[in-house]
Amino acid sequence: MSLNIDQIRGLFPVLHQEVHGKPLIYLDNAATTQKPQSVLDALSTYYSQDNSNIHRGAHALADRATRYYEATREAVREFINAKESAEIIFTKGTTESINLVAQTFGRKFIGKDDEIIISTLEHHSNIVPWQMLCEEKGAVLKIIPITESGEIIFEEFQKLLSPKTKLVSIVHASNALGTINPVKKIIDAAHQIGAKVLLDGAQSTSHLEIDVQDLDCDFLAFSAHKLYGPTGLGVLYGKREILEAMPPFLGGGEMIKEVTFEKTTYNDIPFKFEAGTPNIADVIAFKTSLDFIKSLGKKNIKMHEDDLLSYSNELLTSIKGFIPVGTAKEKVCVLSFNIKDMHPFDVGVMLDANGIAVRTGHHCTQPLMKRLGLEGTVRASFAVYNTRNEIEKLAESVAKIARIKNK
Amino acid sequence: MSSIQDIQDEIVSEFEILGDDKESTIFYIMELGASLAPFPENERKEENIIKGCQSKVWLIADEQDGKINYKADSNTDITKGLISLLLRVLNNRKPEEIMKAELDFVSRIGMGSIIGSQRSNGFASMIKQIKLYALAFQTKQNV
C-alpha cells in the first residue's frame, strides 16, 4: 500500500510554517521527529480531564490515568513483540535506559577484567556509561572496527568475543551514518559464548520492524520522541529473568513492596525500576504515536523512506563537490555528507537560510568521526512525512551551496 | 581613524541594505571572511585556539606603537566573516579603547538570529579573548 503523504502531512501542524521566509523542510528527524495532532491532543486531554497520580489513588481519575498509563505499556509490548508487558520499563530516554543497565546489571554482573564490546559506530550514550562502569570495576571496553563505508567488520567482532565478554552493547542503526548492523548475527554469536546483548534502538525502532523475541536481544533501549511521540520518555525492554536478577536503579516511592527502617523489600518488575511519580502524561500520549505508526504500517513507512533515501542519493551524488559519508548497503534513511572545502556548520547555516533543517557536526559520535578522519558531517534524515519534492529542494540548495567552492 | 562607534554604524548600515534575506546575509559574511588577512601558519597551534567556539578559531595579537594588532583565522567561512567584522571594529586601537568598547553592532544587526544561539556563544568567547589580550597589553604598558 502506498501512503498518502499529503494527508499524513496534514496531521503535523508544525510542518506548515515558514522559516526565514521559506517553507520549512524538516530533515532533522534522526534528532527528533515531529508530533501528529493526535499526540498533542492526548497530552492536552490528559491534563484537562484525567490528571492524577497513578497506581495508588482511590478515586476515579487515578484509576483512569492508571489504566491509560498501563495501556501504553501494553502497546509498547506489542510494538516490539515482547513476551509480557512487565518487561517494559519507562525511562527518560535511550540514554537513561542504557545507564540503567550499566548501573544495575553492569554493577552486579560485570567485574574486574571482564569485557564489554561496543562498536565504532556508537553514539556517546552507548560509550560513556560503559567507560564509567569499566573505570569503577576495572573492566575492559573493546571496540568493533568498521570499514570505510561505515559497516562493522563481523570477523573482527568474532575475534573480540571471549569467555571474558559479559556484554555486547551495540547500535541497531547508526544515527550518524544510517548503517543497519547485522544484529541478529551479533546476538547469536554473543549468546554462544554466554554474553548478554543490549541493542540501542534509538534510530531503528521508527524505521524497522522490531521483534525482540525473534532477535532474542536481552535489552532494547529506545526513545519515544524519535517515534513521533513526546520528549523526555524512553523505554528499556529487558528479559524477565534478567530484570528480576538486577538490583533496583533509583530508590523511592513506587519501587518498593514494604519499607521499614531496618529493611526494604522491592516491588516486582517493571515497578522496581520506576521509582517516583513517572512521566504520566507523556507515557499516555506515547500510545497515540504508536497507534499512528501502526495505522500506517511499518512496512509502508519503510518503503516510502527507502524511496526518499534512494532519490536523495540519485539527486545529490551528481553534485560537484558532494562527498557522501557512510555508504553501507543496509541503511535507514539518513544521508550524511560533506561538501568539498566547506565546513559542515557553514553548509548547515546556509541550508537553514533556505528553510531546510538539518543537523551538522559530530552527531555525538566523536570516535566515529575521528575514525573517518572528519570533523563532522551534514546530516539530512527523513521521516514518513517528507516528500520527493522536499528532496528536490534539498538537492537544489546543496548544489547552489556547493558551487561557492566547487565551480 | 574612525571611532569604534562610527565603524559599528557603518557595519549596521551595510547589513541594513541586505534586509531580512538570511541567505544573502550569510553569503555576505562569508565574502567578508575571504578578505581576512592571512594567518601565519606557525601560529596555527593549540594554545592559540579560543575555547568556547564550536568551530576552530585561532587568535594572536601583538603591539605596535601602543596599539594592538590582532590576527585571527577559523576553519569555517562564516566564522571567518564574523572575525573580520570584529577586527574591523577593534584592530589597531589602544588597549583601553578595546577594553571599554561597547559592541552594540552585534545586537543591532541581529547576529543571534543570523548565526543561532550556539554560535552566538562562540562569538561572545571571541570578544572576551580579544578583550583579555587588551588587558594583558595594558598591564604590560603600565609596568
Side-chain angles (χ1 to χ4, degrees), chain B residues 8-131:
Chain B
Q8 293 198 88
D9 291 345
E10 236 174 71
I11 292 174
V12 171
S13 59
E14 286 165 16
F15 274 78
E16 269 166 10
I17 295 169
L18 295 163
D20 282 338
D21 186 42
K22 185 173 171 185
E23 199 177 9
S24 357
T25 308
I26 297 289
F27 274 114
Y28 179 62
I29 293 174
M30 286 173 75
E31 269 175 32
L32 293 175
S35 63
L36 199 64
F39 191 80
E41 276 307 314
N42 58 347
E43 297 290 356
R44 212 180 290 274
K45 49 192 176 190
E46 194 63 32
E47 65 249 44
N48 290 331
I49 289 181
I50 299 179
K51 290 184 180 60
C53 295
Q54 270 212 352
S55 42
K56 279 197 182 119
V57 178
W58 296 270
L59 178 74
I60 53 170
D62 58 29
E63 190 192 357
Q64 226 171 6
D65 306 327
K67 290 176 177 174
I68 306 180
N69 179 29
Y70 294 97
K71 283 201 177 80
D73 201 2
S74 171
N75 59 344
T76 98
D77 291 317
I78 294 173
T79 310
K80 276 175 85 163
L82 299 177
I83 296 169
S84 82
L85 287 173
L86 271 182
L87 297 196
R88 184 169 146 199
V89 177
L90 297 175
N91 233 351
N92 294 314
R93 295 190 185 277
K94 292 187 187 131
E96 54 272 26
E97 234 186 319
I98 295 167
M99 283 161 59
K100 273 195 302 197
E102 302 244 353
L103 297 172
D104 64 359
F105 85 95
V106 179
S107 61
R108 283 164 72 199
I109 65 172
M111 186 74 88
S113 74
I114 300 171
I115 61 173
S117 55
Q118 282 202 326
R119 273 208 156 140
S120 297
N121 292 339
F123 194 68
S125 303
M126 273 188 245
I127 296 172
K128 198 171 143 199
Q129 192 60 36
I130 286 175
K131 291 199 169 188

Side-chain angles (χ1 to χ4, degrees), chain A residues 33 108 132:
Chain A
T33 52
K108 182 158 179 188
M132 288 161 63

Side-chain angles (χ1 to χ4, degrees), chain A residues 306-339:
Chain A
D306 282 350
D307 176 62
L308 294 178
L309 183 65
S310 64
Y311 192 47
S312 62
N313 271 320
E314 187 186 314
L315 295 187
L316 279 100
T317 17
S318 58
I319 294 170
K320 199 174 170 195
F322 177 82
I323 307 162
V325 182
T327 49
K329 273 190 232 74
E330 297 291 328
K331 278 178 64 167
V332 293
C333 49
V334 165
L335 181 77
S336 227
F337 63 93
N338 271 311
I339 302 291

Side-chain angles (χ1 to χ4, degrees), chain A residues 48-264:
Chain A
S48 56
Q49 294 174 29
D50 306 318
N51 178 49
S52 54
N53 212 331
I54 53 168
H55 291 144
R56 285 171 307 278
H59 55 86
L61 264 60
D63 185 52
R64 213 151 63 205
T66 303
R67 269 190 287 120
Y68 295 156
Y69 182 88
E70 291 304 323
T72 301
R73 204 188 300 276
E74 174 54 23
V76 173
R77 184 209 62 75
E78 191 191 324
F79 183 70
I80 59 170
N81 193 34
K83 237 185 247 168
E84 46 174 325
S85 60
E87 295 176 319
I88 307 299
I89 297 159
F90 292 119
T91 64
K92 277 198 306 205
T94 306
T95 299
E96 187 178 80
S97 297
I98 297 174
N99 276 276
L100 190 160
V101 176
Q103 294 299 314
T104 61
F105 172 86
R107 275 181 156 169
K108 182 158 179 188
F109 297 107
I110 295 172
K112 190 166 175 3
D113 297 329
D114 284 341
E115 293 176 359
I116 300 167
I117 299 178
I118 61 173
S119 83
T120 310
L121 293 168
E122 304 311 319
H123 187 281
H124 295 163
S125 62
N126 198 25
I127 302 174
V128 185
W130 308 118
Q131 286 176 327
M132 288 161 63
L133 181 70
C134 286
E135 201 167 318
E136 183 185 320
K137 294 283 182 176
V140 182
L141 197 59
K142 299 268 177 177
I143 317 294
I144 312 169
I146 57 163
T147 61
E148 281 303 309
S149 62
E151 291 164 299
I152 63 154
I153 305 169
F154 190 75
E155 297 67 39
E156 295 296 324
F157 164 62
Q158 283 174 308
K159 282 186 213 159
L160 292 178
L161 285 170
S162 85
K164 288 181 180 172
T165 312
K166 288 291 178 297
L167 180 77
V168 177
S169 189
I170 188 141
V171 69
H172 194 176
S174 152
N175 72 309
L177 308 180
T179 311
I180 300 172
N181 278 325
V183 288
K184 187 125 172 67
K185 263 168 67 182
I186 291 171
I187 293 165
D188 287 347
H191 282 171
Q192 273 176 30
I193 56 116
K196 304 293 184 214
V197 180
L198 184 155
L199 278 191
D200 169 358
Q203 297 294 334
S204 61
T205 35
S206 60
H207 308 294
L208 309 174
E209 295 275 3
I210 307 285
D211 181 334
V212 290
Q213 291 188 69
D214 177 55
L215 287 168
D216 200 27
C217 56
D218 301 287
F219 300 104
L220 171 71
F222 58 99
S223 299
H225 73 98
K226 296 188 203 281
L227 284 159
Y228 310 99
T231 55
L233 174 65
V235 169
L236 173 68
Y237 156 81
K239 285 179 181 166
R240 174 181 272 278
E241 62 274 19
I242 304 174
L243 292 178
E244 282 180 340
M246 281 159 44
F249 179 39
L250 302 174
E254 183 83 24
M255 53 78 74
I256 51 93
K257 201 165 257 165
E258 194 180 356
V259 179
T260 65
F261 283 121
E262 290 70 40
K263 186 175 169 55
T264 291

